[in-house]
C-alpha cells in the first residue's frame, strides 16, 4: 500500500496539467459550497437575532394573572433556564387637561429587561434599574414637553371604573368611566421608548422595574420561560401549564394568553409535534438542500471527467501493479487517494475563499440596501458550518473519483496493460452473441447492417466532407470522453439557467399577488366612535383617485346544523371533513359555531351592491328591523399556496333564503363574558361579495348593510368589543398618481386625527421603500450568477482540454496518414459545434420540466410566465458556454498542431 501511495504522489507530480485542473475544479466547488454553508448559517443566525431583538429570548408564555406563589413551579423545573416576569397594569392619573388622562404602567423584573425586546425600544435614556424608575412612550414627551428625563414626579395611582366595576387599565375608553384613586406613586422618568398607543386607549404606555424579593404570593404576574433546550419547548411548556392549573378553551388551547414563541422556535427548526407535515415549514430548507445537491452533482460531473482522464492515462502502470499482486481494492484506493491528496489543499483554501466571497456579497448587499436594511448583517463563521462544507467538498471529490476507480479496478491486468478499457465488456458481449447464434436466442444485428447506414455515411461525406465523417466516427469512438464533458457542461448550464429562472418565478409570484388587489392604497382609522363623515368624504375627493370605498367590519357568531349545508359543500365532505381548529369552528351537540362578519358599507356602494342582487336598497335602512345582504363563503381552494387570486375564489356552503331570520351571538369565544343575542333578517342572498378588496371566506357568513344600520347594530354590543368602529378606506389610482394621492391622504388624516390612530399603505410606497432592497438582491443574484458562469466556463475549458489531450495519439495518426492542418482544424470545428450544442439540447428541456413541475404547484401558466423569464441572462449563459467550447477547441487545436507525431505517440503524462 505504501508503494501505491508513493506511486500516486509521483503520478500527481508528473501529470501536472491534470492535477492542476482537478485542484482548480475542487477549489471552485469547495468555495461555492463553503459560501452556501456560510450564507445559510448567517441567514439563520441573522433572523434569530432579529426575532430575539424585537420579540425577546423567551420560548413560551404561561399567560397573565398567575399568582406569584406558583412561580416556583416554573423556576424549579429542571428544563427551565430562566423566567422573565411582568406585572399587571396600573393607572397613574395625569394632571387635568392632559391629552390622554393616564400613564398605563406595568413593572418588569431584571431578567425581563435583560432578555426581552422592550430594552431595544429605548431611544433616549436607559432602562429602569430600581423600583420607582420608569420608561415612557415617546408620544408622552411629544405632547407633554413640560416633562423631561430625570424628573421625579408624584402621580395619583388607582383604577379605571364604570360604576363600581373595575376596568382593565389597557382597555379602550368606556362611556361613563371614572378614576378611583387608591394611593400615590412617585416615579422617576429615566427612559424614552419608541412606542405609541392608539388614542382609543386613554393612556401612554410606560414600564417600570419590579423587585422579585418584594413580591407576595398573591401578586399577579405574566410569566415568560426560556428553556435550556429549545427542542423540548412543546413538551415542557404543557407540563408546566398543567401543574399551574391553566385550563383549556373550546379549541383545546390553553387559556389565559398561553403562547409559544413560534417564530423563534421555527427558526431553530422546532415545530409543534401534532402539526401536519407542511412544505411551508421546511420549504426553504428543501430549496436550499436541492441547490446544494445540484451544485454537488454538477461538480461531480466536472471533476469525474478529470479523474477519468488521469486514471486512463496511468492504466498501464496500474495493470502492472495488478500483475504483481495488487488487489482491485488497492487499485481503487489508489485513485481515491489521488482525489483526497489533490483536494486537501483546495478544501482548506476554500474555507477562507468561501467566507471571503460571502463577506463581499453581503457587503455589496448592505451598501446598496443602505437604510432599507434596518438590522445589520454580520457574516458569521461557524466551526460546524466549516466542517459541513469541508465534508460536502470531500464527499463531492470522492463521488467524482469513485466511478473511475471502480471501472479501473474491474479491469484484468492484461486489459489494463493493453490500455483497452472496454475490452472485458466487449468480450462478454461477444460470448453472449455466440450463444445466441447457437440457438438460445436471436442475436441483435450489428449497427452497420441497419438500413440507411450507407445513406447516412454518404450524407456526411457529401455535405460535410470526409472531416464530417471522421468527426462523427471520432465522436462515436470517444463517446465516453465526450459524454462526461457534455454532461458536466449540461449540469453547469442547468444550474445557471435554473438559478435565474427560479428567481424570476419568485418575482412573478410576488407581482401576481400584488396584482390581485382591487385597490392600491389602504387606510385604517382606529376609532372608538362613529367615523367623521367629513374626513371620509375628503379622502374620496383626493386628486388622481379613480375609485374608492369605505366600510367598517366586526365579528359575531352563528350556530349552523348539517341541514344548512349546500349540496356542493356536502359533496366536498361538509363540516365533518374540516379541521375545525384550523377554521375556528366549534362543534357542540351536532351544531357548528361559525364566524359571521358584519360589514357596514358606504351607502352608495351598498346601494349598488344591493341592486346587483335584484333588491331595492330602501328596505335595508330600517334600524329597528335590521336586514342585510347575506353571502356564505367557503374557499374553493382551501389548500392553495401563494396564489391570492385562487385564495379569493369561493362558493356558498350554507343554504340561506330571503326573509330568513338569523339569530347571531356576540360571543365568538367561550372566554367572552357576554350572552347577547340579536336577530338579522336575510334581505337578499348573494353569490359573492362586493368590491371591497376584503374577502373573508373561511367558512363564514358575511352580512352587508348600510353604514348607519351597522352603527345601530354595534352600538348594542358590549364595550369589550374592540375594533368595531375601526374604519377602512380603500382607494384606487393610476400607478403614476399613487404616491401623490398617498401623501395627500396622509396629510388629511393627520390634520384631523392623531398619528397613532392612522395606518396607511400603498403599492407605490411599498415599492419605493423596497427599491433599494430589490436592487441589492439583484446585485447579489448577479454576482452568484457570475460565479456560476465562471464555474461553467472553467469546466468547459477543462472538459475539452482533457478530451483533446487524451486524443493526441489519434490526431498524430491522422496527421501521419496525410491530414493537413486545415483538415484537423475543420475536424475539431465540427466536433466543437456538436459539443457546444448538446448541453443546450439537454439542459433546456430539463429546466423546462423542473419549471413546469414548480409552476404546477403554484398554479402558473407558461403564457403568463414567459415574459418574466430572464431571456438575456439565459442566452448569455448559453452563449458563454458555447464560446468557452469554441475557445477550448481553438486552444487545443493549436497545441495539437504544434505536437510532433513522435512526441504525441510517446507522451503518457497529461
Amino acid at each position: 500500500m505504501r508503494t501505491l501511495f508513493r506511486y500516486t504522489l509521483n503520478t500527481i507530480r508528473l501529470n501536472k496539467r491534470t492535477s492542476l485542473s482537478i485542484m482548480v475544479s475542487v477549489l471552485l466547488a469547495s468555495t461555492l459550497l463553503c459560501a452556501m454553508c456560510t450564507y445559510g448559517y448567517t441567514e439563520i443566525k441573522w433572523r434569530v437575532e432579529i426575532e430575539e431583538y424585537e420579540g425577546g429570548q423567551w420560548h413560551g408564555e404561561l399567560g397573565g394573572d398567575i399568582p406569584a406563589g406558583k412561580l416556583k413551579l416554573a423556576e424549579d423545573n429542571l428544563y427551565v433556564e430562566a423566567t422573565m416576569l411582568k406585572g399587571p397594569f396600573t393607572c397613574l392619573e395625569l394632571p387635568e387637561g392632559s391629552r390622554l388622562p393616564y400613564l398605563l404602567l406595568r413593572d418588569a423584573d431584571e431578567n425581563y429587561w435583560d432578555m426581552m425586546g422592550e430594552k431595544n425600544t429605548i431611544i433616549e435614556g436607559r432602562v429602569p434599574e430600581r423600583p420607582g424608575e420608569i420608561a415612557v412612550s415617546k408620544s408622552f414627551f411629544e405632547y407633554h414637553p413640560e416633562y423631561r428625563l430625570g424628573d421625579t414626579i408624584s402621580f395619583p395611582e388607582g383604577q379605571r371604573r364604570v360604576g363600581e366595576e373595575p376596568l382593565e387599565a389597557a382597555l379602550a375608553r368606556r362611556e361613563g368611566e371614572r378614576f378611583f384613586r387608591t394611593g400615590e406613586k412617585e416615579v422617576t422618568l429615566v427612559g424614552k421608548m419608541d412606542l405609541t398607543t392608539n388614542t382609543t386607549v386613554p393612556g401612554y404606555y410606560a414600564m417600570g422595574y419590579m423587585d422579585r424579593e418584594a413580591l407576595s404570593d398573591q401578586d399577579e404576574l405574566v410569566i415568560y420561560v426560556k428553556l435550556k433546550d429549545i427542542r423540548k419547548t412543546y413538551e415542557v411548556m404543557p407540563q408546566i401549564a398543567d401543574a399551574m392549573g391553566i385550563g383549556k378553551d373550546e379549541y383545546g388551547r390553553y387559556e389565559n394568553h398561553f403562547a409559544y414563541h413560534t417564530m423563534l422556535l421555527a427558526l431553530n427548526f422546532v415545530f409543534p409535534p401534532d402539526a401536519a407535515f407542511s412544505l411551508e415549514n421546511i420549504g426553504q430548507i428543501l430549496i436550499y438542500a436541492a441547490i446544494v445537491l445540484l451544485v454537488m452533482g454538477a461538480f461531480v460531473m466536472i471533476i469525474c471527467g478529470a479523474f477519468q482522464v488521469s486514471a486512463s492515462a496511468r492504466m498501464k502502470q496500474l495493470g502492472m501493479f495488478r500483475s504483481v499482486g495488487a488487489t482491485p481494492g488497492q487499485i481503487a484506493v489508489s485513485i481515491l487517494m489521488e482525489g483526497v491528496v489533490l483536494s486537501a489543499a483546495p478544501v482548506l483554501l476554500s474555507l477562507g475563499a468561501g467566507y471571503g466571497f460571502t463577506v463581499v456579497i453581503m457587503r455589496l448587499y448592505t451598501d446598496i440596501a443602505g437604510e432599507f436594511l434596518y438590522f445589520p448583517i454580520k457574516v458569521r463563521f461557524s466551526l460546524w458550518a466549516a466542517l459541513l462544507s469541508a465534508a460536502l467538498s470531500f464527499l463531492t471529490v470522492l463521488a467524482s473519483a469513485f466511478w473511475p476507480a471502480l471501472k479501473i479496478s474491474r479491469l484484468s491486468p492484461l486489459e489494463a496493460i493493453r490500455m483497452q478499457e472496454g475490452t472485458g465488456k466487449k468480450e462478454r458481449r461477444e460470448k453472449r452473441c455466440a450463444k445466441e447464434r447457437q440457438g438460445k436466442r436471436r442475436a441483435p444485428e450489428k449497427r452497420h447492417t441497419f438500413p440507411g447506414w450507407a445513406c447516412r455515411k454518404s450524407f456526411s461525406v457529401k455535405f460535410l466532407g470526409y472531416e464530417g465523417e471522421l468527426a462523427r466516427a471520432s465522436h462515436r469512438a470517444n463517446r465516453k470522453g465526450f459524454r462526461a464533458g457534455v454532461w458536466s457542461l449540461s449540469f453547469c448550464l442547468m444550474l445557471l439557467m435554473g438559478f435565474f429562472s427560479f428567481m424570476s418565478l419568485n418575482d412573478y409570484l410576488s407581482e401576481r399577488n400584488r396584482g390581485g388587489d382591487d385597490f392600491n392604497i389602504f387606510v385604517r382609522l382606529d376609532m372608538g366612535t362613529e367615523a367623521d363623515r367629513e374626513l371620509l368624504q375628503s379622502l374620496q375627493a383626493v386628486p388622481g383617485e379613480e375609485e374608492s370605498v369605505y366600510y367598517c367590519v366586526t365579528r359575531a357568531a352563528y350556530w349552523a346544523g348539517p341541514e344548512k349545508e349546500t349540496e356542493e359543500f356536502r359533496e366536498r365532505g361538509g363540516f365533518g371533513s374540516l379541521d375545525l381548529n384550523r377554521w375556528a369552528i366549534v362543534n357542540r351537540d351536532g351544531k357548528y359555531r361559525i364566524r359571521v362578519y358584519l360589514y357596514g358599507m358606504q351607502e352608495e356602494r351598498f346601494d349598488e351592491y344591493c341592486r346587483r342582487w335584484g333588491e331595492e336598497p330602501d328596505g335595508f335602512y330600517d334600524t329597528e328591523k335590521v336586514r342585510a345582504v347575506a353571502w356564505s363563503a367557503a374557499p374553493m381552494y382551501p389548500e392553495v399556496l401563494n396564489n391570492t387570486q385562487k385564495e379569493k375564489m369561493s362558493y356558498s356552503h350554507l343554504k340561506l333564503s330571503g326573509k330568513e331570520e338569523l339569530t347571531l351571538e356576540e360571543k365568538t369565544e367561550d372566554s367572552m363574558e357576554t350572552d347577547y343575542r340579536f336577530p338579522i333578517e336575510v334581505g337578499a342572498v348573494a353569490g359573492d361579495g362586493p368590491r371591497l378588496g376584503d374577502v373573508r371566506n373561511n367558512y363564514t357568513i358575511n352580512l352587508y348593510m348600510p353604514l348607519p344600520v351597522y352603527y345601530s347594530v354595534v352600538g348594542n354590543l358590549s364595550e369589550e368589543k374592540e375594533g368595531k368602529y375601526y374604519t377602512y378606506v380603500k382607494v384606487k389610482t393610476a400607478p403614476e398618481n399613487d404616491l401623490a394621492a398617498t401623501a395627500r391622504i396622509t396629510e388629511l388624516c393627520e390634520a384631523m386625527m392623531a398619528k397613532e390612530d392612522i395606518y396607511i399603505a400603498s403599492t407605490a410606497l411599498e415599492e419605493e421603500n423596497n427599491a433599494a432592497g430589490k436592487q441589492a438582491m439583484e446585485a447579489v443574484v448577479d454576482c452568484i450568477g457570475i460565479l456560476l458562469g465562471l464555474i461553467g466556463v472553467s469546466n468547459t475549458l477543462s472538459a475539452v482540454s482533457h478530451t483533446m489531450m487524451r486524443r493526441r495519439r489519434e490526431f498524430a495518426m491522422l496527421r501521419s496518414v496525410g491530414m493537413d492542418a486545415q483538415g484537423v482544424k475543420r475536424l475539431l470545428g465540427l466536433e466543437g459545434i456538436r459539443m457546444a450544442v448538446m448541453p443546450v439540447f439537454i439542459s433546456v428541456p430539463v429546466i423546462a420540466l423542473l419549471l413546469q413541475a414548480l409552476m404546477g404547484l403554484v398554479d402558473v401558466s407558461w403564457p403568463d410566465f414567459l415574459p418574466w423569464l430572464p431571456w438575456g441572462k439565459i442566452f448569455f449563459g448559453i452563449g458563454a458556454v458555447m464560446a468557452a467550447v469554441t475557445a477550448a477547441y481553438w486552444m487545443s487545436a493549436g497545441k495539437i498542431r504544434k505536437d510532433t507525431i513522435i512526441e504525441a505517440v510517446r507522451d503518457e503524462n497529461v
Side-chain angles (χ1 to χ4, degrees):
M1 199 64 190
R2 183 178 301 176
T3 303
L4 280 174
F5 180 70
R6 290 177 179 174
Y7 163 72
T8 300
L9 293 179
N10 187 58
T11 302
I12 293 173
R13 182 179 60 82
L14 293 176
N15 296 344
K16 296 182 180 63
R17 187 182 294 111
T18 301
S19 300
L20 182 61
S21 173
I22 293 174
M23 293 179 71
V24 170
S25 298
V26 172
L27 178 62
L28 288 172
S30 302
T31 298
L32 185 56
L33 289 172
C34 181
M36 294 182 71
C37 292
T38 304
Y39 170 78
Y41 181 76
T42 299
E43 174 80 6
I44 292 174
K45 287 299 181 182
W46 182 61
R47 292 185 181 276
V48 169
E49 281 184 346
I50 293 176
E51 190 59 33
E52 292 183 343
Y53 181 88
E54 296 179 343
Q57 301 176 36
W58 60 283
H59 299 155
E61 178 188 355
L62 291 167
D65 302 331
I66 297 177
K70 293 186 176 182
L71 177 60
K72 280 191 170 295
L73 294 173
E75 290 185 319
D76 293 344
N77 190 291
L78 295 175
Y79 297 103
V80 173
E81 178 181 338
T83 57
M84 294 79 80
L85 308 181
K86 187 165 61 175
F89 278 104
T90 185
C91 282
L92 303 182
E93 188 179 33
L94 296 176
E96 187 176 351
S98 297
R99 176 173 173 268
L100 296 176
Y102 309 118
L103 279 180
L104 305 177
L105 173 65
R106 68 190 316 174
D107 294 332
D109 73 336
E110 183 178 359
N111 282 353
Y112 190 97
W113 280 112
D114 287 343
M115 304 174 71
M116 301 297 280
E118 278 83 349
K119 68 178 182 295
N120 301 312
T121 65
I122 303 291
I123 55 177
E124 189 176 342
R126 60 176 174 81
V127 302
E129 296 175 348
R130 56 182 62 89
E133 294 183 344
I134 66 171
V136 187
S137 64
K138 63 182 181 182
S139 55
F140 170 78
F141 294 96
E142 291 173 0
Y143 292 104
H144 298 276
E146 65 271 22
Y147 298 113
R148 300 177 183 276
L149 292 179
D151 290 351
T152 299
I153 314 157
S154 183
F155 293 115
E157 183 177 12
Q159 295 177 335
R160 296 169 56 194
R161 289 188 176 183
V162 175
E164 295 302 318
E165 181 184 353
L167 296 176
E168 291 186 27
L171 288 180
R173 296 175 186 268
R174 296 292 185 265
E175 187 176 351
E177 72 172 71
R178 63 186 178 86
F179 180 73
F180 181 77
R181 181 170 179 170
T182 59
E184 194 85 6
K185 189 174 182 67
E186 185 177 83
V187 296
T188 301
L189 307 178
V190 298
K192 183 185 296 186
M193 305 175 72
D194 189 14
L195 297 173
T196 59
T197 53
N198 295 337
T199 57
T200 54
V201 177
Y204 302 100
Y205 188 68
M207 289 194 68
Y209 182 87
M210 173 192 293
D211 184 1
R212 282 199 179 207
E213 300 299 326
L215 291 174
S216 68
D217 289 347
Q218 288 72 39
D219 287 338
E220 295 179 345
L221 301 172
V222 179
I223 303 176
Y224 296 86
V225 176
K226 181 180 181 181
L227 301 178
K228 297 175 183 177
D229 185 354
I230 192 173
R231 293 170 295 179
K232 292 186 175 293
T233 301
Y234 289 107
E235 175 186 346
V236 174
M237 288 304 298
Q239 295 174 3
I240 301 175
D242 291 338
M244 288 186 172
I246 300 176
K248 295 185 178 181
D249 63 13
E250 62 269 36
Y251 305 109
R253 302 172 302 198
Y254 286 99
E255 296 176 325
N256 198 24
H257 306 293
F258 178 95
Y260 294 103
H261 198 166
T262 52
M263 181 57 72
L264 182 62
L265 294 173
L267 289 171
N268 285 276
F269 309 108
V270 179
F271 303 103
D274 56 346
F277 175 78
S278 173
L279 288 177
E280 291 183 275
N281 290 340
I282 61 172
Q284 292 184 337
I285 302 174
L286 291 178
I287 292 174
Y288 183 79
I291 293 176
V292 170
L293 290 176
L294 191 59
V295 170
M296 291 177 66
F299 278 105
V300 165
M301 296 302 299
I302 294 171
I303 303 171
C304 183
F307 276 115
Q308 183 69 42
V309 173
S310 176
S312 299
R314 55 194 181 109
M315 194 182 301
K316 182 181 295 185
Q317 295 95 323
L318 293 174
M320 294 174 65
F321 279 114
R322 285 291 311 277
S323 67
V324 294
T327 66
Q330 291 175 329
I331 298 298
V333 167
S334 173
I335 300 175
L336 294 175
M337 192 185 301
E338 179 184 6
V340 173
V341 171
L342 290 176
S343 61
V347 169
L348 291 176
L349 289 174
S350 71
L351 298 179
Y355 178 80
F357 179 75
T358 309
V359 169
V360 171
I361 290 296
M362 288 302 180
R363 185 170 296 172
L364 175 65
Y365 180 82
T366 53
D367 288 345
I368 297 176
E371 295 181 358
F372 168 79
L373 195 66
Y374 73 97
F375 197 87
I377 300 178
K378 179 182 178 181
V379 178
R380 295 179 174 272
F381 182 82
S382 165
L383 176 62
W384 292 108
L387 290 176
L388 176 62
S389 66
L392 292 176
S393 300
F394 277 115
L395 183 61
T396 301
V397 172
L398 291 176
S400 305
F402 176 77
W403 181 245
L406 183 63
K407 290 176 64 178
I408 297 298
S409 65
R410 287 180 175 178
L411 294 178
S412 67
L414 181 60
E415 291 169 345
I417 293 173
R418 293 173 59 191
M419 299 186 68
Q420 294 181 1
E421 188 177 338
T423 305
K425 191 179 298 183
K426 180 179 179 181
E427 290 175 351
R428 288 192 296 270
R429 185 167 58 249
E430 289 180 351
K431 290 180 180 179
R432 186 173 63 251
C433 292
K435 293 180 180 179
E436 290 170 354
R437 284 193 294 270
Q438 293 175 4
K440 290 189 176 181
R441 58 180 175 175
R442 185 167 176 261
E445 295 180 354
K446 294 183 179 180
R447 183 168 179 173
H448 68 269
T449 61
F450 287 172
W453 170 255
C455 296
R456 282 205 305 273
K457 183 175 179 181
S458 60
F459 174 86
S460 300
V461 174
K462 181 176 180 181
F463 291 96
L464 299 177
Y466 285 100
E467 292 88 353
E469 178 64 19
L470 285 173
R472 185 187 62 78
S474 176
H475 187 276
R476 175 170 174 76
N478 296 279
R479 59 187 179 277
K480 293 182 180 179
F482 281 106
R483 187 185 303 152
V486 167
W487 276 108
S488 60
L489 296 179
S490 300
F491 266 95
C492 281
L493 199 53
M494 286 180 210
L495 195 62
L496 186 64
M497 292 195 301
F499 181 77
F500 285 121
S501 298
F502 294 155
M503 294 297 295
S504 297
L505 180 59
N506 184 65
D507 293 340
Y508 168 79
L509 292 174
S510 300
E511 183 64 26
R512 183 180 68 175
N513 290 340
R514 283 197 299 267
D517 296 332
D518 297 320
F519 302 92
N520 56 293
I521 301 176
F522 170 82
V523 182
R524 189 188 69 213
L525 307 176
D526 297 351
M527 299 180 172
T529 59
E530 295 184 14
D532 186 332
R533 290 301 185 98
E534 182 181 346
L535 171 61
L536 296 179
Q537 290 171 3
S538 64
L539 294 180
Q540 291 190 311
V542 170
E545 188 174 298
E546 298 178 355
E547 183 183 0
S548 64
V549 64
Y550 58 83
Y551 63 93
C552 298
V553 62
T554 193
R555 195 170 66 192
Y558 174 73
W559 290 91
E563 70 279 358
K564 297 289 290 184
E565 296 175 355
T566 62
E567 197 65 35
E568 183 176 0
F569 186 36
R570 190 173 291 112
E571 290 175 356
R572 290 172 175 258
F575 286 114
S577 65
L578 299 180
D579 180 353
L580 300 184
N581 288 343
R582 174 187 175 187
W583 302 104
I585 298 174
V586 176
N587 179 15
R588 287 195 185 128
D589 301 325
K591 287 198 171 184
Y592 299 88
R593 186 177 71 192
I594 64 174
R595 293 182 178 181
V596 178
Y597 290 101
L598 308 177
Y599 284 85
M601 293 175 58
Q602 174 186 352
E603 290 87 330
E604 296 84 355
R605 298 300 294 268
F606 174 79
D607 294 350
E608 176 187 333
Y609 179 65
C610 191
R611 291 191 180 97
R612 178 177 155 197
W613 301 105
E615 293 287 336
E616 286 299 319
D618 295 341
F620 290 83
Y621 282 82
D622 187 351
T623 57
E624 297 296 328
K625 185 177 182 180
V626 179
R627 302 174 71 224
V629 179
W631 174 42
S632 68
M636 187 77 73
Y637 302 97
E639 306 300 332
V640 71
L641 296 174
N642 206 9
N643 190 334
T644 55
Q645 296 175 351
K646 278 199 170 183
E647 287 172 1
K648 295 178 181 179
M649 297 178 67
S650 312
Y651 69 96
S652 295
H653 68 298
L654 295 182
K655 298 175 183 176
L656 301 176
S657 58
K659 298 186 179 180
E660 176 185 1
E661 187 173 87
L662 303 178
T663 300
L664 307 183
E665 294 183 358
E666 180 184 4
K667 189 172 187 175
T668 56
E669 306 284 344
D670 286 354
S671 58
M672 295 177 64
E673 297 180 358
T674 177
D675 292 320
Y676 178 65
R677 292 181 174 85
F678 57 98
I680 292 183
E681 182 182 302
V682 177
V685 179
D688 55 36
R691 187 179 167 84
L692 297 179
D694 186 344
V695 177
R696 307 191 187 198
N697 59 353
N698 49 341
Y699 300 98
T700 61
I701 299 176
N702 299 319
L703 299 176
Y704 302 95
M705 60 194 73
L707 193 55
V709 177
Y710 170 86
Y711 285 143
S712 72
V713 172
V714 299
N716 296 320
L717 301 181
S718 62
E719 292 295 333
E720 68 175 299
K721 198 75 172 179
E722 295 186 41
K724 60 186 178 182
Y725 290 111
Y726 286 4
T727 303
Y728 303 89
V729 183
K730 304 286 184 70
V731 176
K732 181 181 179 181
T733 67
E736 61 271 15
N737 297 327
D738 188 315
L739 291 175
T742 301
R744 179 57 181 161
I745 288 173
T746 303
E747 181 183 347
L748 291 170
C749 290
E750 292 181 352
M752 301 184 68
M753 295 181 62
K755 292 181 180 179
E756 297 91 338
D757 298 336
I758 305 167
Y759 174 78
I760 300 175
S762 78
T763 301
L765 190 62
E766 181 182 354
E767 291 177 350
E768 185 180 68
N769 292 336
N770 294 339
K774 185 177 181 181
Q775 183 181 0
M777 182 54 67
E778 288 179 352
V780 170
V781 169
D782 289 342
C783 286
I784 296 174
I786 291 172
L787 177 62
L788 294 176
L790 289 175
I791 291 171
V793 170
S794 65
N795 164 54
T796 302
L797 296 172
S798 174
V800 174
S801 176
H802 289 157
T803 304
M804 292 300 101
M805 291 301 99
R806 193 169 59 180
R807 297 170 57 201
R808 293 173 67 190
R809 292 185 182 87
E810 174 188 334
F811 288 108
M813 292 175 63
L814 291 174
R815 291 166 60 193
S816 68
V817 295
M819 179 176 283
D820 57 11
Q822 282 298 112
V824 172
K825 184 176 180 181
R826 180 175 170 80
L827 173 61
L828 291 175
L830 293 173
E831 290 184 2
I833 292 173
R834 182 165 187 168
M835 192 169 186
V837 171
M838 285 302 295
V840 179
F841 287 161
I842 294 172
S843 57
V844 169
V846 171
I847 293 298
L849 289 174
L850 289 175
L851 278 173
Q852 178 60 53
L854 191 57
M855 288 162 57
L857 292 175
V858 294
D859 194 32
V860 176
S861 64
W862 280 108
D864 293 333
F865 181 57
L866 281 177
W868 286 80
L869 275 173
W871 294 109
K873 294 176 180 178
I874 289 175
F875 285 124
F876 176 79
I878 292 174
V881 170
M882 297 180 74
V885 172
T886 302
Y889 266 90
W890 180 78
M891 289 187 291
S892 299
K895 293 179 182 178
I896 289 172
R897 287 196 301 269
K898 292 178 182 179
D899 276 345
T900 64
I901 296 176
I902 299 299
E903 288 177 348
V905 171
R906 294 178 58 187
D907 189 16
E908 294 182 355
N909 295 323
V910 293

